[in-house]
């Protein structure tokens, strides 16, 4: 059987990847109903083997099917420091395993985790914009002229906008200065954007998708973009997307 299994990120994981402990069980239900092949990693021996989640219960924990037995047998993992890891669309999910024990033949069980991280697989991971009509990008493209852009997605260092075709000069390499993100009366510090790509809107022929990157950003610009992207992603994972702005640094 050709299975893809994932080792964990050891050491201290950035707090921005942590999921809200109140919603861990609900997230596990959503991610593993059904879920991808995951793995159990022994920190001491670095041995790893694939498992799949068979069932979840808030009281009895997780039931795992052993997809391939480890070389030294399952007993080499019982009582050891181990991690559960799974590769998901949103990144690498991992948590330290507690209460790992053998169940019936070919199965293991463990406790529902109290902490869990979803580590994004690339630095420019994009979070889709929340369904919040008050969240906009304010674009300044010439003196005294501005436009409001609909946000498609945002990363730590860039943003994709949905704009009306012909509403401004739009060529790859164009720089827009003094822009900001806004929600109601709250605004980020001003930042500059450089257009990196243009593509037709998949929804309307009269609109265009504009991919922009922060141009010579300040530390504050980077912090506010990362805070916004992280808040949206975490709120979506924790099923509280309507309140995404509560964890941003600028709202």
């Amino acid at each position: 059987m050709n299975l893809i299994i994932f080792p964990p990120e050891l050491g201290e994981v950035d707090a921005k990847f942590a999921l809200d402990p109140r919603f861990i069980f609900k997230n596990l239900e959503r991610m593993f109903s059904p879920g991808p092949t995951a793995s159990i990693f022994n920190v001491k021996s670095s041995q790893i083997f694939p498992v799949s989640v068979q069932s979840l219960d808030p009281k009895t924990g997780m039931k795992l099917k052993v997809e391939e037995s480890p070389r030294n047998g399952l007993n080499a993992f019982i009582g050891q420091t181990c991690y559960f890891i799974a590769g998901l669309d949103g990144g690498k999910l991992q948590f330290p395993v507690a209460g790992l024990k053998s169940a019936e033949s070919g199965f293991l069980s463990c406790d529902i985790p109290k902490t869990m991280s979803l580590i994004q697989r690339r630095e420019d991971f994009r979070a889709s914009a929340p369904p919040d009509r008050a969240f906009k990008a304010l674009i300044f493209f010439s003196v005294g002229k501005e436009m409001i852009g609909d946000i498609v997605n945002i990363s730590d260092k860039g943003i994709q906008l949905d704009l009306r075709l012909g509403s401004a000069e739009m060529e790859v390499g164009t720089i827009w200065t003094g822009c900001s993100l806004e929600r109601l009366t709250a605004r980020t510090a001003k930042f500059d954007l450089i257009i990196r790509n243009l593509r037709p809107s998949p929804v309307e022929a009269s609109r265009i998708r504009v991919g922009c990157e922060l141009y010579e950003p300040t530390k504050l610009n980077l912090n506010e973009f990362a805070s916004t992207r992280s808040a949206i992603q975490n709120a979506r994972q924790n099923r509280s997307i309507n309140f995404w702005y509560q964890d941003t640094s600028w709202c």
Side-chain angles (χ1 to χ4, degrees):
M1 184 183 298
N2 185 21
L3 297 171
I4 300 174
I5 55 178
F6 304 87
E9 305 293 327
L10 298 179
E12 187 174 353
V13 175
D14 195 314
K16 71 181 181 181
F17 297 134
L19 301 185
D20 192 321
R22 296 172 298 173
F23 303 105
I24 282 178
F25 184 76
K26 288 184 177 180
N27 273 302
L28 287 172
E29 280 189 311
R30 177 176 57 82
M31 294 169 176
F32 295 99
S33 299
T37 299
S39 56
I40 301 294
F41 177 85
N42 186 318
V43 173
K44 183 177 180 180
S45 66
S46 295
Q47 292 187 72
I48 192 168
F49 68 95
V51 297
S52 58
V53 177
Q54 296 298 296
S55 63
L56 294 159
D57 187 281
K59 294 182 178 179
T60 60
M62 302 176 65
K63 182 179 179 182
L64 308 172
K65 180 184 178 183
V66 178
E67 298 291 349
E68 285 185 5
S69 295
R71 184 177 65 256
N72 295 335
L74 295 175
N75 287 335
F77 289 77
I78 306 300
Q80 300 296 312
T81 302
C82 297
Y83 275 79
F84 175 97
I85 317 99
L88 307 175
D89 289 341
K92 181 188 290 184
L93 178 81
Q94 69 175 52
F95 57 81
V97 177
L100 185 66
K101 58 186 177 182
S102 296
E104 62 261 38
S105 179
F107 290 87
L108 296 169
S109 64
C110 67
D111 299 340
I112 298 295
K114 292 182 171 57
T115 62
M116 190 165 68
S117 298
L118 184 63
I119 302 169
Q120 291 150 15
R121 289 181 289 209
R122 60 186 190 273
E123 192 174 282
D124 61 343
F125 180 86
R126 298 176 181 179
S128 298
D132 184 346
R133 293 185 178 181
F135 181 45
K136 299 288 185 180
L138 190 59
I139 308 299
F140 289 88
F141 55 92
S142 66
V143 177
K145 294 185 179 181
E146 65 183 46
M147 62 181 170
I148 295 176
D150 292 333
I151 299 169
V152 179
N153 56 53
I154 185 170
S155 71
D156 285 4
K157 296 181 180 179
I159 193 168
Q160 186 182 66
L161 302 170
D162 185 272
L163 302 172
R164 183 168 53 83
L165 190 62
S167 57
E169 180 185 353
M170 296 182 209
E171 295 181 358
V172 173
T174 297
I175 297 174
W176 289 328
T177 61
C179 307
S180 61
L181 302 178
E182 64 175 17
R183 185 184 186 278
L184 299 178
T185 59
R187 286 188 183 180
T188 62
K190 291 184 178 181
F191 53 82
D192 299 342
L193 292 174
I194 182 169
I195 297 177
R196 293 302 190 190
N197 59 72
L198 301 164
R199 62 190 64 179
S201 168
V203 180
E204 294 183 41
S206 62
R207 301 188 69 82
I208 190 170
R209 294 287 172 90
V210 185
C212 301
E213 184 181 7
L214 287 172
Y215 181 71
E216 297 183 352
T218 65
K219 185 175 181 180
L220 179 57
N221 295 153
L222 293 172
N223 287 341
E224 289 186 330
F225 262 65
S227 169
T228 304
R229 191 272 315 146
S230 179
I232 295 170
Q233 179 70 9
N234 290 342
R236 184 168 282 113
Q237 292 294 336
N238 293 324
R239 300 185 179 184
S240 56
I241 189 62
N242 290 337
F243 303 98
W244 67 272
Y245 53 87
Q246 293 181 344
D247 291 326
T248 62
S249 62
W250 56 274
C251 283

